[in-house]
Amino acid sequence: MIGNQGVGNRLNKVTENCAFLFEVLKDFEVVITRENDAIGRSDLAELEAITDEKVIFGEKVKKYIRALKESMDLLTSEVVDFEIESNDERQLTQYVAVIREPLLKAHPQLEPELKNMETWAGKLKDLRVGIFAKVETNAYLVQRLLHYHRETYAFWQAVVRESEAVYGQTGKTKYGNGSQKSILNVRT
């Protein structure tokens, strides 16, 4: 076990990683909002560009989550005599609840730092819940948009096939009165 300063440094590192992850997710929320706007405009080109941005943000989020978990593991090794193994206990808000008592028992002077970490953990949880709801909504809307575009494409392909059978390249009917013009000019 390391002294108060070392435990305080590890506690501050967890808080710092929470703050970094919070900022990355805050920036990601802007991208998700832009995606929602693009869905509303049916702008497939922008949706493709946003998908690339989302992949980049996914890598950043993964990096900061990994750093957060590593700092949590280091703090755990200094505060408690057991390992936190379950996924529930590794969730940040549960983690804070698990280490709170042993940390304050061994290092009561670190209560302000622990409260700061608890605050960041709460902010991070609230932001994550909000963002994931938006991500799920956007995923549903993108699926509906793509379904609509597929149906529209299939409709126009059917119109083209039907038009090709009745009209020639000039738009005049192939059969019957040759002076009729096509309502649709279709190029194939």
Side-chain angles (χ1 to χ4, degrees), residues 8-188:
N9 288 341
R10 291 198 175 169
L11 181 59
N12 288 335
K13 190 64 175 172
V14 172
T15 304
E16 181 181 293
N17 285 325
C18 284
F20 288 151
L21 183 57
F22 181 86
E23 290 304 317
V24 169
L25 287 176
K26 209 57 177 145
D27 292 341
F28 181 60
E29 186 176 30
V30 172
V31 173
I32 295 302
T33 302
R34 279 189 23 240
E35 180 182 49
N36 190 275
D37 294 342
I39 293 167
R41 293 188 315 275
S42 297
D43 189 340
L44 295 178
E46 186 174 357
L47 284 172
E48 268 187 57
I50 288 172
T51 299
D52 294 339
E53 285 183 63
K54 285 170 51 178
V55 169
I56 292 168
F57 270 103
E59 290 301 315
K60 284 182 185 178
V61 168
K62 190 164 65 171
K63 173 184 156 188
Y64 285 112
I65 287 174
R66 188 173 28 252
L68 177 59
K69 286 185 176 185
E70 287 172 6
S71 62
M72 288 166 58
D73 289 342
L74 288 172
L75 179 60
T76 301
S77 69
E78 297 301 327
V79 174
V80 295
D81 294 333
F82 54 89
E83 258 188 63
I84 295 177
E85 294 180 9
S86 76
N87 282 335
D88 288 341
E89 289 178 335
R90 288 184 66 95
Q91 295 299 315
L92 192 55
T93 51
Q94 289 295 326
Y95 173 80
V96 172
V98 168
I99 68 158
R100 180 175 230 307
E101 188 179 321
L103 184 123
L104 290 178
K105 185 176 179 182
H107 308 279
Q109 70 283 3
L110 294 177
E111 186 170 9
E113 288 88 349
L114 181 63
K115 285 188 187 260
N116 189 29
M117 184 178 80
E118 289 172 328
T119 300
W120 276 107
K123 285 180 176 181
L124 195 54
K125 179 183 177 186
D126 293 343
L127 180 62
R128 183 185 63 85
V129 167
I131 287 175
F132 287 165
K134 289 178 183 179
V135 168
E136 290 297 321
T137 299
N138 284 3
Y140 173 76
L141 292 174
V142 166
Q143 285 178 336
R144 296 299 310 152
L145 179 65
L146 289 175
H147 179 72
Y148 169 75
H149 279 285
R150 283 186 195 118
E151 285 181 345
T152 302
Y153 181 78
F155 168 78
W156 286 110
Q157 286 295 318
V159 168
V160 167
R161 280 191 301 278
E162 192 174 305
S163 295
E164 286 176 344
V166 179
Y167 300 101
Q169 287 182 336
T170 62
K172 296 180 182 177
T173 59
K174 291 180 183 178
Y175 312 104
N177 185 354
S179 64
Q180 291 180 343
K181 289 250 180 193
S182 164
I183 295 175
L184 296 172
N185 289 326
V186 180
R187 290 184 179 179
T188 57

